[in-house]
Amino acid sequence: MRSEHTTARRGPLHLPRPTQTWSNDPHRAFEKGRQPAATRIGTKRIHLVRTRGGNTKYRALRLDSGNFSWGSEGIARKVRVISVSYHPSNNELVRTNSLTKSAVVQVDAAPFRQWFEAHYGQSLGRRRQAKQEKEGEDAKKSKSVEKKQAARAAAVSKVDPALERQFEAGRLYAVVASRPGQSGRVDGYVLEGDELAFYQRAIRK
């Protein structure tokens, strides 16, 4: 007869073997399962969990920022995570703003915009404030800096219109590539091109 197990278990021994009954089935430490992290958006809060071999897992319970890369420009910036917009596995994770790997989130676009404008000397996603910018655009630049920025701008193609519209709104879609419940970090990359179009269609549904 099957005995009740009060602890979560993992591994192949959760079923009885032909030569062993449930009542004699031992609980092994390496089969131990733990509660899910359920990482949410909020003030940073991380618990340390001792694991097998004296190693440590960083169980993030709350996170509000992380490192996200802009692949086409080859840069990464620490940005604020605003909200969870889509999750491929469960809509409940979107409703609760849970951060897991593969979650599509909205992040603050300001750090990427500031880098772009300093690097290329061109405005990005500021059509609404265009007139105000032209009036206050008397910042002093040396000729060498202007020449360098012009060369960079000439070598790089224009920013994708779909991405530029997001810069105007001040929020970018990004995918979480790290595992917050294991590493204690929420890192990822900004969506671009076909991948961005795919997730935008999924979000609209």
Side-chain angles (χ1 to χ4, degrees):
M1 183 175 177
R2 176 173 173 168
S3 63
E4 292 186 2
H5 296 268
T6 57
T7 57
R9 307 183 66 193
R10 298 180 62 189
L13 299 182
H14 65 284
L15 296 174
R17 286 165 288 186
T19 58
Q20 185 177 18
T21 62
W22 275 105
S23 58
N24 296 326
D25 191 13
H27 284 214
R28 306 294 186 185
F30 60 79
E31 296 173 358
K32 182 164 51 177
R34 299 183 181 90
Q35 293 293 324
T39 309
R40 307 282 176 83
I41 296 176
T43 304
K44 186 176 180 180
R45 185 181 176 198
I46 298 175
H47 284 184
L48 269 59
V49 179
R50 186 196 182 276
T51 58
R52 191 176 189 191
N55 296 310
T56 304
K57 284 184 179 181
Y58 298 88
R59 182 82 77 236
L61 304 179
R62 298 286 186 275
L63 289 173
D64 58 0
S65 62
N67 290 329
F68 286 82
S69 64
W70 186 358
S72 61
E73 294 293 343
I75 63 155
R77 288 291 180 271
K78 184 176 181 179
V79 295
R80 183 170 58 92
V81 178
I82 299 171
S83 65
V84 178
S85 299
Y86 176 77
H87 202 286
S89 67
N90 191 349
N91 286 332
E92 185 70 10
L93 299 175
V94 178
R95 188 185 68 80
T96 56
N97 271 338
S98 297
L99 297 172
T100 65
K101 185 174 181 177
S102 300
V104 177
V105 297
Q106 281 191 316
V107 299
D108 184 17
F112 293 111
R113 179 195 288 126
Q114 291 167 359
W115 174 85
F116 187 92
E117 292 176 351
H119 191 72
Y120 293 111
Q122 298 178 351
S123 62
L124 177 63
R126 292 183 184 270
R127 292 177 184 173
R128 299 170 187 172
Q129 304 95 350
K131 293 181 180 178
Q132 297 176 4
E133 275 201 3
K134 287 181 180 178
E135 292 174 359
E137 217 176 47
D138 298 330
K140 293 182 179 180
K141 291 182 183 178
S142 65
K143 290 184 178 179
S144 62
V145 171
E146 290 178 351
K147 185 178 179 182
K148 188 182 293 184
Q149 288 178 338
R152 288 170 179 165
V156 176
S157 60
K158 194 176 179 182
V159 176
D160 182 17
L163 199 59
E164 192 167 0
R165 285 193 294 272
Q166 291 183 62
F167 272 106
E168 289 179 15
R171 298 182 174 194
L172 301 176
Y173 284 123
V175 170
V176 176
S178 64
R179 301 174 68 193
Q182 309 290 321
S183 63
R185 299 173 61 92
V186 54
D187 300 334
Y189 59 92
V190 174
L191 288 171
E192 300 178 84
D194 293 339
E195 193 173 10
L196 172 60
F198 171 82
Y199 281 113
Q200 283 180 326
R201 287 195 300 270
I203 292 169
R204 283 194 293 266
K205 287 182 180 179

mmCIF file of all heavy atoms in Angstrom, residues 86-103:
data_model
loop_
_atom_site.group_PDB
_atom_site.id
_atom_site.type_symbol
_atom_site.label_atom_id
_atom_site.label_comp_id
_atom_site.label_asym_id
_atom_site.label_seq_id
_atom_site.Cartn_x
_atom_site.Cartn_y
_atom_site.Cartn_z
ATOM 1 N N TYR A 86 4.202 39.337 -21.831
ATOM 2 C CA TYR A 86 3.802 38.065 -22.461
ATOM 3 C C TYR A 86 4.658 36.952 -21.890
ATOM 4 O O TYR A 86 5.823 37.161 -21.522
ATOM 5 C CB TYR A 86 3.991 38.156 -23.982
ATOM 6 C CG TYR A 86 3.706 36.874 -24.721
ATOM 7 C CD1 TYR A 86 2.406 36.446 -24.965
ATOM 8 C CD2 TYR A 86 4.749 36.081 -25.191
ATOM 9 C CE1 TYR A 86 2.150 35.268 -25.647
ATOM 10 C CE2 TYR A 86 4.507 34.896 -25.885
ATOM 11 C CZ TYR A 86 3.201 34.495 -26.109
ATOM 12 O OH TYR A 86 2.952 33.326 -26.782
ATOM 13 N N HIS A 87 4.050 35.765 -21.794
ATOM 14 C CA HIS A 87 4.820 34.585 -21.390
ATOM 15 C C HIS A 87 4.363 33.398 -22.227
ATOM 16 O O HIS A 87 3.153 33.152 -22.342
ATOM 17 C CB HIS A 87 4.636 34.280 -19.900
ATOM 18 C CG HIS A 87 5.751 33.454 -19.343
ATOM 19 N ND1 HIS A 87 5.883 32.119 -19.621
ATOM 20 C CD2 HIS A 87 6.805 33.775 -18.557
ATOM 21 C CE1 HIS A 87 6.950 31.651 -19.019
ATOM 22 N NE2 HIS A 87 7.531 32.639 -18.366
ATOM 23 N N PRO A 88 5.296 32.664 -22.826
ATOM 24 C CA PRO A 88 4.903 31.573 -23.732
ATOM 25 C C PRO A 88 4.240 30.390 -23.033
ATOM 26 O O PRO A 88 3.594 29.584 -23.693
ATOM 27 C CB PRO A 88 6.231 31.153 -24.375
ATOM 28 C CG PRO A 88 7.278 31.613 -23.433
ATOM 29 C CD PRO A 88 6.752 32.859 -22.790
ATOM 30 N N SER A 89 4.383 30.280 -21.711
ATOM 31 C CA SER A 89 3.862 29.086 -21.050
ATOM 32 C C SER A 89 2.551 29.312 -20.305
ATOM 33 O O SER A 89 1.715 28.415 -20.248
ATOM 34 C CB SER A 89 4.903 28.528 -20.067
ATOM 35 O OG SER A 89 5.091 29.424 -18.995
ATOM 36 N N ASN A 90 2.354 30.513 -19.727
ATOM 37 C CA ASN A 90 1.195 30.671 -18.852
ATOM 38 C C ASN A 90 0.824 32.147 -18.720
ATOM 39 O O ASN A 90 1.658 32.972 -18.349
ATOM 40 C CB ASN A 90 1.520 30.091 -17.472
ATOM 41 C CG ASN A 90 0.297 29.963 -16.593
ATOM 42 O OD1 ASN A 90 -0.766 30.475 -16.915
ATOM 43 N ND2 ASN A 90 0.450 29.264 -15.473
ATOM 44 N N ASN A 91 -0.430 32.482 -19.003
ATOM 45 C CA ASN A 91 -0.888 33.862 -18.866
ATOM 46 C C ASN A 91 -0.969 34.307 -17.403
ATOM 47 O O ASN A 91 -0.967 35.514 -17.126
ATOM 48 C CB ASN A 91 -2.266 34.037 -19.516
ATOM 49 C CG ASN A 91 -2.178 34.030 -21.030
ATOM 50 O OD1 ASN A 91 -1.152 34.398 -21.598
ATOM 51 N ND2 ASN A 91 -3.246 33.619 -21.683
ATOM 52 N N GLU A 92 -1.028 33.367 -16.497
ATOM 53 C CA GLU A 92 -1.067 33.717 -15.071
ATOM 54 C C GLU A 92 0.220 34.427 -14.658
ATOM 55 O O GLU A 92 0.213 35.308 -13.788
ATOM 56 C CB GLU A 92 -1.262 32.444 -14.240
ATOM 57 C CG GLU A 92 -1.443 32.672 -12.749
ATOM 58 C CD GLU A 92 -2.780 33.309 -12.416
ATOM 59 O OE1 GLU A 92 -3.653 33.403 -13.304
ATOM 60 O OE2 GLU A 92 -2.938 33.737 -11.254
ATOM 61 N N LEU A 93 1.336 34.065 -15.294
ATOM 62 C CA LEU A 93 2.618 34.704 -14.993
ATOM 63 C C LEU A 93 2.638 36.155 -15.463
ATOM 64 O O LEU A 93 3.358 36.978 -14.907
ATOM 65 C CB LEU A 93 3.759 33.915 -15.638
ATOM 66 C CG LEU A 93 3.901 32.465 -15.175
ATOM 67 C CD1 LEU A 93 4.988 31.755 -15.973
ATOM 68 C CD2 LEU A 93 4.210 32.402 -13.694
ATOM 69 N N VAL A 94 1.844 36.463 -16.494
ATOM 70 C CA VAL A 94 1.728 37.842 -16.968
ATOM 71 C C VAL A 94 0.897 38.650 -15.977
ATOM 72 O O VAL A 94 1.250 39.778 -15.615
ATOM 73 C CB VAL A 94 1.086 37.885 -18.369
ATOM 74 C CG1 VAL A 94 0.928 39.324 -18.844
ATOM 75 C CG2 VAL A 94 1.923 37.091 -19.361
ATOM 76 N N ARG A 95 -0.198 38.067 -15.523
ATOM 77 C CA ARG A 95 -1.090 38.770 -14.602
ATOM 78 C C ARG A 95 -0.392 39.116 -13.293
ATOM 79 O O ARG A 95 -0.607 40.186 -12.719
ATOM 80 C CB ARG A 95 -2.325 37.903 -14.309
ATOM 81 C CG ARG A 95 -3.411 38.603 -13.518
ATOM 82 C CD ARG A 95 -4.535 37.651 -13.159
ATOM 83 N NE ARG A 95 -4.105 36.637 -12.209
ATOM 84 C CZ ARG A 95 -3.996 36.833 -10.893
ATOM 85 N NH1 ARG A 95 -4.269 38.026 -10.375
ATOM 86 N NH2 ARG A 95 -3.618 35.846 -10.102
ATOM 87 N N THR A 96 0.473 38.223 -12.830
ATOM 88 C CA THR A 96 1.158 38.426 -11.548
ATOM 89 C C THR A 96 2.514 39.095 -11.712
ATOM 90 O O THR A 96 3.231 39.271 -10.724
ATOM 91 C CB THR A 96 1.342 37.081 -10.833
ATOM 92 O OG1 THR A 96 2.055 36.171 -11.701
ATOM 93 C CG2 THR A 96 0.007 36.468 -10.464
ATOM 94 N N ASN A 97 2.901 39.460 -12.938
ATOM 95 C CA ASN A 97 4.208 40.090 -13.203
ATOM 96 C C ASN A 97 5.357 39.227 -12.684
ATOM 97 O O ASN A 97 6.277 39.714 -12.020
ATOM 98 C CB ASN A 97 4.282 41.486 -12.580
ATOM 99 C CG ASN A 97 3.770 42.562 -13.523
ATOM 100 O OD1 ASN A 97 3.738 42.371 -14.749
ATOM 101 N ND2 ASN A 97 3.370 43.698 -12.988
ATOM 102 N N SER A 98 5.298 37.938 -12.971
ATOM 103 C CA SER A 98 6.337 37.008 -12.528
ATOM 104 C C SER A 98 7.480 36.972 -13.536
ATOM 105 O O SER A 98 7.247 36.859 -14.738
ATOM 106 C CB SER A 98 5.758 35.602 -12.352
ATOM 107 O OG SER A 98 4.767 35.592 -11.348
ATOM 108 N N LEU A 99 8.693 37.053 -13.025
ATOM 109 C CA LEU A 99 9.887 37.051 -13.874
ATOM 110 C C LEU A 99 10.478 35.653 -13.941
ATOM 111 O O LEU A 99 10.927 35.116 -12.924
ATOM 112 C CB LEU A 99 10.927 38.031 -13.317
ATOM 113 C CG LEU A 99 10.518 39.502 -13.296
ATOM 114 C CD1 LEU A 99 11.546 40.338 -12.544
ATOM 115 C CD2 LEU A 99 10.349 40.033 -14.713
ATOM 116 N N THR A 100 10.440 35.053 -15.123
ATOM 117 C CA THR A 100 11.077 33.759 -15.357
ATOM 118 C C THR A 100 11.816 33.822 -16.683
ATOM 119 O O THR A 100 11.659 34.782 -17.444
ATOM 120 C CB THR A 100 10.043 32.618 -15.417
ATOM 121 O OG1 THR A 100 9.215 32.829 -16.569
ATOM 122 C CG2 THR A 100 9.186 32.581 -14.172
ATOM 123 N N LYS A 101 12.590 32.806 -16.953
ATOM 124 C CA LYS A 101 13.267 32.744 -18.242
ATOM 125 C C LYS A 101 12.231 32.692 -19.377
ATOM 126 O O LYS A 101 11.188 32.063 -19.232
ATOM 127 C CB LYS A 101 14.163 31.511 -18.293
ATOM 128 C CG LYS A 101 15.003 31.437 -19.566
ATOM 129 C CD LYS A 101 15.979 30.281 -19.532
ATOM 130 C CE LYS A 101 16.800 30.260 -20.808
ATOM 131 N NZ LYS A 101 17.814 29.194 -20.802
ATOM 132 N N SER A 102 12.514 33.387 -20.479
ATOM 133 C CA SER A 102 11.673 33.456 -21.681
ATOM 134 C C SER A 102 10.508 34.423 -21.558
ATOM 135 O O SER A 102 9.753 34.586 -22.521
ATOM 136 C CB SER A 102 11.144 32.070 -22.091
ATOM 137 O OG SER A 102 12.222 31.204 -22.369
ATOM 138 N N ALA A 103 10.343 35.075 -20.407
ATOM 139 C CA ALA A 103 9.270 36.057 -20.267
ATOM 140 C C ALA A 103 9.596 37.290 -21.117
ATOM 141 O O ALA A 103 10.744 37.734 -21.171
ATOM 142 C CB ALA A 103 9.102 36.462 -18.810
#
